Structures are given as C-alpha cells and as structure tokens.
Amino acid sequence: MFIVHRKSQQEKRMLTFFEFETVKGSQKMAELASLFTEDMVLQSDEKNVIFGSCQPGESIELFIKNTIYQAKVTETGWRVEIGPFSQEKAVLMIIKADRKVIFKGRIHFGDVYLLAGQSNMEFSMKDELNFERESQNFTENDQAVYFFQMIDKNSSMFEANAGTRKWQKLSGKNLASLSGIGYYFQKKLMEKRDRPIGLIELAKGGTSASCWLDKKRLQKDQGLERIYWEPYSVRTACVSPAQQNNELCQYKKTLGKYADDKARLQEANPDWKPEKIKEKLGGTPWPPPLFKDSIYRPGGLFEKFVRSLAPYRIKAVIWYQGEEDAPFFEYYERLLTQLIENWRELWQCADLPFYIVQLPRYAPPLQGSWAGIREQQQRAAKKMKHVQLISTIDCGEKNNIHPVDKSVIGTRLAEFILAGEAARVPKISAFIFTNNTLRLVFDNLTFSHTEELLKSFQIFQGEKSRTIKDIHLIDQNTVELVVEESYNELTYSFADFPMNILKNEKNVPLAPFRIFLP
C-alpha cells in the first residue's frame, strides 16, 4: 500500500520558488535600494519594508524563514512588508524578480540606530583621543555589530558622495572609519545586550539642520524661509553660474593656503596645542559660497539621502548637530521641531524616538550663541513626545569645535537607551519665589554642601549681576537662595563654556537653564 501525501499550496510555492533561473542577455533587472546588502540589520520585533526599483509588470518574491512574500509593484518601484521577527543572527533571505535571483545572502534582526548630524557625529575613530587603546583592545568574538555609511567620508568638503553601499561587520580592520560616537555607543550597548546592532551613519560636516529637511517646510515658515531659504534663492537667481564658479575657486584657494600655513606652523611648533594654532591663524575660512548644487543648500541632503533612506525601519535617531546653526540660534527650536516632524512623517512613525545631543562646552566667535542653541534644543525636547535631551555640558574643549574624546557622549547615549523610562535625568522640578529668597526643587539630583552651588548659579536684574548673599540646604533635593537686591532672572551654567557643573550620582550633568521671574 502506498500513502500519497498531497502538497499544500504553500509547499508547492516553496518548491517553485527554489527553481532558480539565471539572468539571460542584457535585460535590466529589478534592484534593491542601496541599503539592502548582505549583513544588513533589520529592526527586530517590527514589520520591515524591503523596497527597490523594477520594470513595470515584474513579479517580485521574497523568501525568508520558510515564508514567501509577494511584493507590491507600482510605477515607482516595488516594496514588500515582512515580519515581525525576533532578534536573530545570520538569517537567509532570497529575492527573485520574474524567477531570477537578485539577492541571496544572510541578514540579521536586531536594533537599528540612525546616527545623524554634522561633523561631530561624522568624526571618525581614527581621529579620536583613545583610538590606539581601543583598537589594540578590540576583540570581535561573536559580537554582531554592523554599520552602513550613507556618505563617503573621503568626499571633499564640497561633496557628499554615496558611501560604500554595503553593510560592514565591525572589525579591527574597519574600526578606524566608524563614527567615534557610534563606536562608544555600540560598545556600551553590547556590554549589556546580546543582540545584533545596526548603525546607519548619515552625517556631513558644516551642515545646517536646514540641509536635512524638506525645503517645503522651510518655505512654509516665514522665519525659517527668511533665514535659510531666501539667501540661497536670491543668490542662485542673481549670481551667474560663472561668477558662482569663480567664487568657489577663490574660496578653495583661500582654504588651501590656510591648510598649508597650518601645516607649516604645526611642523615648526610640534608642541603647540590646537588653540595656539587657532590664535595665530584664526579659524578655518568659513562658510563656503553657496551655489545651485551646493551640498549646503536648504533641503539638499534631505533630497539626496534622507528621502531614499525611509522607510527603512529604525529603532531611534541619534541627532548631534547645531554647531552650524549657532549664529541663528533663536530659530533653532523651530528648525529642530520641523526636522523631527518631517522625519516622523517620512517614516510614517509618529512616535519615532529622537535622542538629541545637547551641544557640549565651547567658546565660539559669536559669544552666547552656544548657550542659546542649548536652550533651544532643550525647548524642542521638552515640548515634543519621545524626544530625549542628552546633556553633555561636562564635555568639550574651549577652543576646539571638534573635541577629540567621544567616549563620554557615546557611552551616555547608550546608557540612556538602556535605562529607558527609568533613566535618571537631573532637572529642576519647581521653584518658589519670594521677595528675597528663591527656593529650587530638583529631581534626580542631591546636594550635600552649598559651596558648589554658589559657583553654579547666577542672579540678574536685566543685564546687571546680583549677589547671592547666602544659600541653604532645605533637604537633599531642595536649596534656597537668599538675595537682598531685586532680580528677575536665575541662570545655571548658562554660558558657552561654563566651569561649574552639577551632576547626580550616575554622573549625569544637570542641563544648563535660565528662569525669568515675575
């Protein structure tokens, strides 16, 4: 007697799926978006969208974990939603277009983070303070950390060329090219979590936040349009391409001369610190002249990179930017808010988490501008849900806009993510104002003596500084300032490069603030 097993429709599809055909002739094949390469990390426990380009009428199928998915094909390309799947390493995925294999390789499910911003996020490990130590001590073991660089770090300051277009497993050989912030971020995460980590780097030095959002949003906000869009629009309309090119060539010559002078000065004075070089030569000539296709134009990098990145599923955005917008710090809350809303809309994720790195200490040419940017970052974070401000006021270098130690910031970012809702963020929770006393109540911040407090707080009446006559500890979370003169403003570390920083028991600093009193 023979027992006949009837195959299910799914089994028949599986058998048919694995009847691969080879590509014949020069017919243009369907393609995946550049982010989808072997060793990609997809967000675990979430549905993921795989997408790409194709010819009208093509049939796209995807196989993963014993399941076949049929892609939706439109005039603009194809996309297929898969999952959700739990965290896992080395999962086989196959994609076919009209029965021809266009992808076959291993992928991973874990946590994916977008590292975005300007030069301090772009800053590579090879230039980081502790690179030699970290590279010597680095061991791959079985860690599953992968990174993808959207922009080629070898691009000149005038270009933003696409990166390597492949996911790389972090190793001793490529450690030098990884973002310093990203390196310490993943290092701390991997100490506590055994799951694949994917880091997508999307950063370019010297870029305003206006470069990273849709220009239509700038044009709808009168203030942002006047500050960011109109100068570009007027310049490109009124200055001929030939003149723009001449100005750019002249700028490159000026920049080249500055680099040569700096190199000669460093060679002649090897013991000079960066601030001494800067004192002698001045800062790097900046900004470059705007031209039509400049990477610094409003909306330019949004169109080239951000729009094509979505809807690749990510767990959170780590945003380290603001230095370039310091001259117009009064507008930064609006600018950052627009960017967050824009990206959440693009990713179709209203609660996409953002972790904002509040700018560290620095003494900029425009006095007060970095203190102003920090305040604007704090306002944006306070009013928006799922936006966490990471204070770094205990970091930074007075005369170096690119501090070389990235360990504290990268580690602190990971600690906040690991802690989640339980993160102990020191902050002022209440204040009680009387004629000659001001009582301040803090959360997640305790005090044992008053000496540090006298140095940290300042009182003003308009622009005139007032004297804090005395300070009392009411309890470990509450202090009372005694001021006999009239005053209407209290500040804590509200300066570009403040010296007296208050921290809690987790070594997290209290973010600078100022309070205007009635």
Side-chain angles (χ1 to χ4, degrees):
M1 174 183 281
F2 295 96
I3 300 176
V4 178
H5 294 280
R6 297 186 181 276
K7 293 183 172 63
S8 67
Q9 284 297 109
Q10 177 68 5
E11 289 175 315
K12 290 178 180 178
R13 285 187 69 201
M14 297 280 282
L15 288 173
T16 304
F17 186 90
F18 284 103
E19 294 175 358
F20 295 156
E21 290 187 10
T22 56
V23 180
K24 298 177 182 179
S26 59
Q27 178 184 1
K28 184 177 180 181
M29 292 296 299
E31 295 179 339
L32 283 84
S34 61
L35 273 161
F36 300 105
T37 73
E38 187 161 43
D39 278 332
M40 73 181 93
V41 181
L42 297 181
Q43 183 59 46
S44 64
D45 305 312
E46 297 276 358
K47 290 184 177 181
N48 285 272
V49 177
I50 314 298
F51 53 96
S53 60
C54 65
Q55 297 294 311
E58 280 191 279
S59 174
I60 313 291
E61 289 184 308
L62 182 152
F63 167 82
I64 188 169
K65 293 180 73 65
N66 296 318
T67 304
I68 297 175
Y69 295 86
Q70 186 74 40
K72 180 180 180 180
V73 178
T74 66
E75 293 180 357
T76 58
W78 63 272
R79 58 186 285 157
V80 57
E81 189 177 78
I82 65 172
F85 297 114
S86 301
Q87 62 162 324
E88 189 174 352
K89 302 174 186 176
V91 178
L92 175 66
M93 185 170 77
I94 302 172
I95 302 176
K96 294 174 64 177
D98 286 344
R99 303 186 66 196
K100 301 175 182 68
V101 177
I102 61 173
F103 177 86
K104 181 181 180 181
R106 67 176 179 272
I107 68 170
H108 316 277
F109 289 96
D111 288 335
V112 183
Y113 297 94
L114 177 57
L115 310 179
Q118 56 179 105
S119 52
N120 276 302
M121 182 61 89
E122 182 185 35
F123 195 95
S124 297
M125 270 302 291
K126 66 181 176 61
D127 300 315
E128 205 270 339
L129 178 65
N130 303 304
F131 171 64
E132 293 298 329
R133 180 195 70 193
E134 294 298 321
S135 60
Q136 290 172 8
N137 295 334
F138 182 82
T139 54
E140 294 182 37
N141 296 325
D142 194 31
Q143 292 188 358
V145 179
Y146 302 85
F147 65 97
F148 187 99
Q149 294 173 324
M150 296 285 291
I151 300 177
D152 184 359
K153 290 189 176 182
N154 293 319
S155 299
S156 76
M157 65 180 294
F158 306 102
E159 300 172 317
N161 300 321
T164 56
R165 292 184 179 274
K166 67 177 182 179
W167 283 86
Q168 304 176 62
K169 182 175 183 179
L170 182 61
S171 68
K173 293 182 179 179
N174 59 30
L175 169 63
S177 68
L178 181 64
S179 158
I181 296 292
Y183 171 78
Y184 289 106
F185 175 70
Q186 66 79 31
K187 181 182 179 182
K188 188 63 178 180
L189 286 181
M190 294 305 290
E191 288 178 4
K192 303 294 183 180
R193 291 180 176 174
D194 181 22
R195 60 191 297 131
I197 298 294
L199 304 176
I200 301 175
E201 287 189 40
L202 183 58
K204 182 64 180 179
T207 52
S208 159
S210 65
C211 303
W212 298 102
L213 62 87
D214 192 335
K215 65 183 180 183
K216 293 178 182 178
R217 281 185 168 263
L218 293 172
Q219 293 167 338
K220 289 180 180 179
D221 184 301
Q222 289 186 351
L224 297 180
E225 181 183 41
R226 178 172 56 84
I227 295 298
Y228 293 103
W229 178 254
E230 287 184 2
Y232 166 76
S233 179
V234 170
R235 176 173 171 75
T236 52
C238 299
V239 181
S240 69
Q243 186 176 344
Q244 291 177 36
N245 186 61
N246 289 337
E247 291 178 0
L248 184 59
C249 289
Q250 185 57 49
Y251 176 77
K252 288 181 177 180
K253 289 180 182 179
T254 302
L255 195 66
K257 182 179 183 303
Y258 178 87
D260 291 341
D261 291 345
K262 183 177 180 180
R264 281 193 292 268
L265 204 57
Q266 289 173 325
E267 185 178 359
N269 306 276
D271 296 332
W272 280 17
K273 294 182 178 181
E275 51 262 37
K276 183 69 174 178
I277 300 288
K278 185 177 179 180
E279 180 183 335
K280 190 74 174 177
L281 288 180
T284 303
W286 193 263
L290 272 176
F291 53 96
K292 184 178 180 181
D293 297 322
S294 168
I295 65 169
Y296 304 106
R297 72 187 186 276
L301 294 175
F302 174 85
E303 292 298 333
K304 187 169 184 178
F305 293 106
V306 181
R307 193 184 290 281
S308 64
L309 175 59
Y312 196 101
R313 177 67 68 180
I314 55 179
K315 188 174 183 67
V317 176
I318 313 296
W319 179 256
Y320 188 168
Q321 192 277 338
E323 302 95 328
E324 186 63 21
D325 293 303
F328 307 108
F329 66 85
E330 300 96 331
Y331 294 88
Y332 194 75
E333 178 191 350
R334 292 155 68 176
L335 189 62
L336 182 56
T337 300
Q338 287 281 5
L339 183 139
I340 293 171
E341 290 177 348
N342 190 188
W343 287 22
R344 285 175 169 174
E345 181 182 275
L346 189 65
W347 262 270
Q348 298 181 4
C349 183
D351 58 355
L352 176 64
F354 272 74
Y355 291 84
I356 308 298
V357 178
Q358 192 178 39
L359 292 189
R361 296 181 296 176
Y362 175 63
L366 181 59
Q367 187 175 356
S369 59
W370 276 47
I373 279 283
R374 292 188 203 105
E375 183 177 47
Q376 296 285 312
Q377 290 174 317
Q378 191 172 47
R379 287 177 179 175
K382 187 175 182 179
K383 76 177 184 181
M384 302 188 77
K385 293 182 178 180
H386 307 292
V387 177
Q388 177 66 63
L389 186 75
I390 310 298
S391 176
T392 66
I393 198 61
D394 55 334
C395 303
E397 300 176 31
K398 189 171 186 178
N399 295 298
N400 185 5
I401 198 171
H402 301 121
V404 295
D405 185 357
K406 303 299 183 187
S407 62
V408 174
I409 297 178
T411 301
R412 186 170 292 159
L413 281 161
E415 289 173 341
F416 268 74
I417 285 176
L418 289 167
E421 295 294 327
R424 293 181 58 80
V425 183
K427 59 184 178 181
I428 185 168
S429 58
F431 64 90
I432 303 169
F433 169 72
T434 64
N435 288 335
N436 65 343
T437 65
L438 180 61
R439 183 170 293 190
L440 308 173
V441 184
F442 295 88
D443 288 339
N444 301 316
L445 186 65
T446 59
F447 309 104
S448 57
H449 53 83
T450 60
E451 183 179 349
E452 59 182 333
L453 299 174
L454 282 171
K455 297 177 182 178
S456 301
F457 296 110
Q458 288 184 295
I459 296 287
F460 296 90
Q461 177 66 41
E463 297 183 357
K464 294 182 179 180
S465 178
R466 299 303 196 196
T467 302
I468 300 175
K469 184 179 179 181
D470 202 358
I471 189 164
H472 303 138
L473 285 180
I474 305 304
D475 57 45
Q476 64 178 2
N477 301 108
T478 307
V479 298
E480 187 174 78
L481 311 182
V482 179
V483 184
E484 294 186 342
E485 301 174 280
S486 61
Y487 60 97
N488 62 2
E489 182 182 352
L490 165 72
T491 71
Y492 153 73
S493 292
F494 197 82
D496 295 322
F497 196 85
M499 296 301 296
N500 301 294
I501 311 301
L502 300 176
K503 298 183 182 183
N504 67 10
E505 75 282 0
K506 296 289 187 181
N507 209 35
V508 178
L510 175 66
F513 64 81
R514 61 176 171 174
I515 298 172
F516 293 99
L517 304 164

